[in-house]
Amino acid sequence: MPTIIRRIGRGGEGIGYADEEPLIDRRHEALWVRTGLAPGRGRPDFARMNSLRQKRTMRFGLCQVCGHEAARADGRTLHLMGAATPIREGETTAAPPVHPRCALEAIQNCPRLRRHHAAALVERSALWGVAGIVHDPVTLAPLLAPGARPYGLVHVHVADPRIRWTLANFTVHRLEGVTAVSLLDMVAMAKEDLRHQAAGGPALTAP
């Protein structure tokens, strides 16, 4: 990661990079962490998401596991979180949508999801803000806010003045029209998808 510096831009003062590329490094007024892509290389890190992949899947409504369109026939998307409590109406999340079959695969292979998970069908997923590390406007040191999200990431709304002092890792959406689903519900939806494909419908997961 390059050194964080103080910058003054069109939106005001905030953090930045000395060699900042506005079209690449800044989005929604936040400075974004720099990360690379290496498909097929390395070992899975189930505790983390790739920032570039996460932004793409959230923006285009793609499944976080297979990368295909996640919307179901009724327009709703399935969301899966490693949480011990149900997904609430209006909850903010950095977790992209997922297909039922892909969700079952994730639960089987991800240690965190095996311990506990919550799932819901969602009617609307709208941009809310970013998840990142807020920096002190005076010292530029990272701020460890009480009750911070996992890995020290804080959810910051797009209209929050702190967003220009945030090193963003992920896009955050607000979930609306939430209907909780159980593991048995996801199994039933996965079977329905398989029957749909067998009848000649479009594939809902990667081949």
Side-chain angles (χ1 to χ4, degrees):
M1 281 296 298
T3 302
I4 299 293
I5 65 170
R6 186 187 308 273
R7 290 184 64 92
I8 299 177
R10 289 186 301 173
E13 192 175 20
I15 58 172
Y17 301 133
D19 60 344
E20 183 175 325
E21 294 287 344
L23 296 179
I24 299 174
D25 295 321
R26 193 167 295 277
R27 186 175 176 82
H28 310 309
E29 294 296 322
L31 181 70
W32 281 81
V33 64
R34 287 179 175 173
T35 186
L37 287 173
R41 288 188 286 170
R43 299 179 60 185
D45 185 350
F46 293 110
R48 299 177 185 273
M49 288 186 288
N50 179 280
S51 178
L52 292 176
R53 293 194 186 109
Q54 192 270 353
K55 281 191 290 184
R56 181 173 180 270
T57 53
M58 292 292 267
R59 182 177 182 183
F60 297 107
L62 307 178
C63 174
Q64 61 175 294
V65 175
C66 70
H68 288 220
E69 184 178 355
R72 302 185 61 74
D74 61 5
R76 294 188 295 177
T77 52
L78 177 67
H79 286 258
L80 176 69
M81 301 182 193
T85 56
I87 299 173
R88 304 182 307 275
E89 179 71 24
E91 184 164 347
T92 59
T93 181
V98 64
H99 294 124
R101 287 172 60 190
C102 293
L104 295 174
E105 181 180 345
I107 292 170
Q108 181 180 2
N109 290 283
C110 175
R112 182 186 178 195
L113 291 174
R114 282 203 302 268
R115 286 194 298 272
H116 48 67
H117 60 268
L121 284 170
V122 174
E123 295 178 8
R124 294 173 300 280
S125 174
L127 174 67
W128 184 88
V130 302
I133 299 175
V134 181
H135 288 63
D136 188 292
V138 177
T139 65
L140 302 188
L143 296 174
L144 300 179
R149 304 278 175 146
Y151 318 117
L153 302 184
V154 178
H155 285 198
V156 181
H157 190 266
V158 289
D160 191 326
R162 295 180 303 163
I163 198 164
R164 291 193 60 81
W165 301 96
T166 301
L167 181 62
N169 288 67
F170 306 124
T171 301
V172 173
H173 280 202
R174 184 177 188 270
L175 305 181
E176 302 172 348
V178 174
T179 302
V181 297
S182 66
L183 182 61
L184 290 178
D185 292 330
M186 286 189 283
V187 171
M189 286 190 288
K191 291 180 178 178
E192 178 188 347
D193 291 346
L194 286 173
R195 288 194 296 268
H196 176 76
Q197 291 178 34
L204 298 181
T205 58

